[in-house]
Amino acid sequence: MNRRRFLAGAGATLSLGFVGQQALRSPESTVVRVWFSDAAASYEGLAATVEGYLGAALEPAIGPVEFDFAPEPLSLPAESGRRVLATHWPARVARGAVGMDEVDPVDGVNLLVTDGHPTKQPSGYARPHVAAATGAESIARMSPVDETPVVVPYSVRAAATQVVLHEVAHALGADHEHGAVRRTDDALVASPMIGSYLWASEAVRERHLPDRNACGGAVPDETDSLERRLRMRYADCALERLGDGSR
């Protein structure tokens, strides 16, 4: 049997538990390597925004995070769609782990950001060590993290940026149950592991949101009468889960 041909064909289903055997390891920090698609790479400020928001959200849970941006953008069959996010990208990471693709994965998180429209579903995808998110143009337009409050009004750019936090946390072991919703006098505030699912259709909510979360709260049923806001940091139970996974 031609082993190389077999691995290339099976790339989408290979376990990624072996990624660290040939990939970059850092004993002092978690490495997040980021690739941009050809179209995403054209947006000035995208790298700084991704690094700023991810670093601010992750470091309280897992300590120092090292960001490594691939020097060249990736050509993809499309900028969005389940086939690209959930099949093509994980397969390339798996092939790269055994030296069969230009993608050179790390043992932490391998993140792809594309220029797909963030309101078109799916807007992201994740599995262990692998994450993908669309919305590059919107993310690049987000204000710098050090000029932005932790809780912001709902907008496409904020939602797209929060999807990056959502998918990377999935890649590190968090799930939707590690999200939280906080009610204020005039607003509902969704943390990254719930995010825009809070205002989705009933069918989508039933498929993705738990009745109660690991933070000890319930996800409210009535959301229409209150202002929508997004939290750009993880909930306490997500921080705990991410911290457990990093040890």
Side-chain angles (χ1 to χ4, degrees), residues 5 13 25 123 149 208 246:
R5 185 178 303 163
T13 58
R25 287 180 181 269
S123 59
H208 292 286
S246 69

Side-chain angles (χ1 to χ4, degrees), residues 91-118:
R92 291 194 67 171
V93 173
R95 290 197 300 269
V98 292
M100 297 177 62
D101 194 284
E102 64 183 296
V103 170
D104 183 18
V106 297
D107 196 40
V109 179
N110 299 279
L111 170 65
L112 171 68
V113 180
T114 80
D115 197 32
H117 199 282

Side-chain angles (χ1 to χ4, degrees), residues 19-59:
V19 165
Q21 295 176 11
Q22 297 188 19
L24 175 65
R25 287 180 181 269
S26 175
E28 295 83 20
S29 61
T30 298
V31 179
V32 178
R33 180 165 287 170
V34 185
W35 286 261
F36 295 146
S37 67
D38 283 330
S42 67
Y43 296 111
E44 184 177 355
L46 179 60
T49 304
V50 169
E51 179 173 352
Y53 281 91
L54 270 177
L58 287 172
E59 287 184 357

